[in-house]
Amino acid sequence: KIEVKIPPGMVTGKKLRLAGKGNPSQLGGPPGDLYIQAKVVNDPNYEVKGYDLYLNREVKISEALLGTTLSIPTLEDKTLNLRIPAGTSSGRTLRVRGRGVERGGRTGDLLVTVNVVVPGKLSKEGKNALAAFAKAQPQDPRPEITEAVDRAEVEGQADMS
């Protein structure tokens, strides 16, 4: 049984040489070298592009609006606390420098894309709270469309007179 430490940034097809860990010599000399060819199995949580790691994380609407801290697993089997700023929109990508793949003295970044999960069904209390929020926060995300519709309605009413 041989224990092998795999260096960071290992890629499929790369060979590792373990000096003196091969078969013994037939003529009584020292054992030969053992070569291991790597096959890297992708982690289902991450996508690797070059030196960078990509990860998607879901948050509730309240977490996106108010901000939160997510626990993110790292490649080193540790946990990273990532602060999600208040007002984060769905699809926003946050970069954590130096937490990507390490290879050849260079380390990439970890890029976390935040996806806001919208509940399929709201309770009565949830509907009331959301209606109160909408009234207190009357921001229009598409003012140019609203303005065009309002203009068209005014013009249509003028034509009817």
Side-chain angles (χ1 to χ4, degrees):
K1 185 175 181 179
I2 298 174
E3 210 171 286
V4 178
K5 183 172 171 109
I6 305 296
M10 181 59 72
V11 293
T12 296
K14 187 172 181 181
K15 291 182 182 177
L16 290 175
R17 179 176 154 247
L18 303 174
K21 298 292 183 182
N23 290 330
S25 170
Q26 293 178 351
L27 303 173
D33 296 340
L34 175 64
Y35 288 88
I36 299 172
Q37 186 169 8
K39 180 179 180 190
V40 178
V41 178
N42 291 331
D43 186 309
N45 292 313
Y46 297 99
E47 182 180 346
V48 179
K49 292 182 186 174
Y51 292 92
D52 294 331
L53 287 177
Y54 292 81
L55 177 67
N56 292 312
R57 277 294 178 253
E58 288 74 31
V59 297
K60 298 184 290 185
I61 291 175
S62 58
E63 293 173 322
L65 289 171
L66 302 172
T68 191
T69 300
L70 298 179
S71 294
I72 306 290
T74 67
L75 292 179
E76 300 85 26
D77 289 328
K78 296 179 182 173
T79 301
L80 169 76
N81 289 324
L82 179 63
R83 190 178 69 76
I84 308 299
T88 296
S89 295
S90 193
R92 179 176 178 186
T93 300
L94 304 169
R95 179 182 301 267
V96 183
R97 296 202 184 278
R99 288 303 185 111
V101 175
E102 181 185 326
R103 194 180 308 134
R106 181 175 169 211
T107 305
D109 298 333
L110 170 63
L111 293 107
V112 180
T113 300
V114 177
N115 296 307
V116 179
V117 177
V118 178
K121 209 171 195 180
L122 287 175
S123 66
K124 185 176 181 181
E125 295 84 13
K127 286 180 185 180
N128 291 338
L130 194 54
F133 172 78
K135 189 174 182 179
Q137 196 73 29
Q139 177 186 3
D140 187 351
R142 46 195 179 278
E144 67 284 348
I145 294 173
T146 304
E147 194 176 293
V149 169
D150 290 346
R151 264 197 318 268
E153 287 176 356
V154 168
E155 289 171 5
Q157 290 174 358
D159 290 343
M160 296 174 99
S161 342

